[in-house]
Amino acid sequence: IRAVLDVPFSHGTVAINSLRPQAFSEDDIALVSDLAAALSDAFRRTDDLAKLAAQREHLMVTLRSIGDGVISTDAEGRVELLNEAAEALTGWSQAEAEGQPLQNVFHIVEATTRQPCSNPVERVIEGGRVVATGEQTLLLSRDGSERLLADSSAPIRDQDGSIVGAVLVFQDVTAQRQTEQELARAAKLESLGVLAGGIAHDFNNILTGITGHLSLAGLEATGSESL
């Protein structure tokens, strides 16, 4: 080996050997330098992709551990990700829901009127702020079941502050609402019991007074007859 061209890049060096002395021209050096720069860029991109894959996996593990349903969308409102709780509540799997418009997967109506609710993600993306639905939001699951929901949506922004999507977090509050309604009914019944007891007490007092007056009237009538 009479000549060596050795150009470093991010993950090593590009080395070219020759049996001829002074075999490499300035053009050769420039070409190999460009190759080294391209390799550096390619390895950086590969590292970035590996980091993104690791971050996505970490995010999925975190989301799977959350008891609330979580759905994320892109800026057009198409579903990108569901966690396991969201799959159970909506009846859609991640594979089936990915790329679908949110309203196809997250089908919500007003509980009393059964009218469709406005798309929360559209409101978030248009307004750029957190949005919460009302207390009477009903989720119509794919399997036909219905659940009362508490949910809120927030925008997802990139490093420049531009909205690139939205995240929706929701939970089934059907049992909680039923408990609240039962407690409210029990409180009303207790109030009615207290009211009825008070009325009965007052009525007894009136009856006592009437009975007393009747007794006195009877005594007076008896006294009059004896005379």
Side-chain angles (χ1 to χ4, degrees):
I1 296 174
R2 305 293 299 277
V4 176
L5 176 57
D6 196 358
V7 179
F9 72 103
S10 61
H11 286 66
T13 59
V14 177
I16 301 176
N17 303 327
S18 176
L19 296 177
R20 295 182 297 107
Q22 300 179 349
F24 304 111
S25 66
E26 293 295 328
D27 291 339
D28 294 331
I29 295 173
L31 179 62
V32 175
S33 296
D34 290 343
L35 175 60
L39 287 172
S40 295
D41 185 59
F43 274 102
R44 275 194 295 268
R45 290 176 181 273
T46 301
D47 290 343
D48 290 342
L49 290 174
K51 289 178 182 178
L52 285 174
Q55 290 173 356
R56 181 180 176 85
E57 180 60 26
H58 178 72
L59 176 61
M60 290 301 298
V61 171
T62 302
L63 290 177
R64 280 195 290 268
S65 67
I66 296 176
D68 293 346
V70 179
I71 300 176
S72 68
T73 74
D74 60 17
E76 283 71 44
R78 293 187 296 265
V79 174
E80 290 187 332
L81 182 148
L82 284 81
N83 71 344
E84 290 185 357
E87 289 179 333
L89 290 171
T90 63
W92 288 75
S93 68
Q94 168 69 33
E96 294 170 325
E98 190 169 358
Q100 291 280 345
L102 177 70
Q103 58 268 26
N104 290 358
V105 177
F106 189 69
H107 186 195
I108 52 176
V109 298
E110 211 283 330
T112 53
T113 65
R114 310 290 295 189
Q115 292 298 312
C117 295
S118 59
N119 188 324
V121 167
E122 288 183 355
R123 293 162 59 194
V124 165
I125 293 174
E126 291 173 2
R129 55 184 176 81
V130 175
V131 170
T133 60
E135 295 183 354
Q136 295 298 317
T137 302
L138 197 64
L139 172 65
L140 306 182
S141 179
R142 198 179 186 186
D143 61 9
S145 60
E146 300 179 355
R147 298 177 174 89
L148 282 170
L149 292 185
D151 68 282
S152 60
S153 306
I156 300 174
R157 300 180 183 273
D158 60 15
Q159 293 180 346
D160 298 326
S162 300
I163 296 177
V164 295
V167 60
L168 173 68
V169 181
F170 56 99
Q171 61 180 158
D172 181 3
V173 295
T174 306
Q176 177 183 336
R177 297 283 169 78
Q178 289 175 345
T179 301
E180 290 174 353
Q181 289 172 358
E182 290 172 0
L183 291 174
R185 282 196 295 267
K188 289 179 180 178
L189 289 174
E190 183 179 358
S191 299
L192 287 173
V194 172
L195 178 61
I199 292 173
H201 178 72
D202 293 340
F203 189 65
N204 285 335
N205 288 340
I206 294 171
L207 286 178
T208 301
I210 293 173
T211 303
H213 284 85
L214 288 174
S215 299
L216 289 175
L219 290 174
E220 290 179 359
T222 304
S224 299
E225 290 177 0
S226 62
L227 291 175

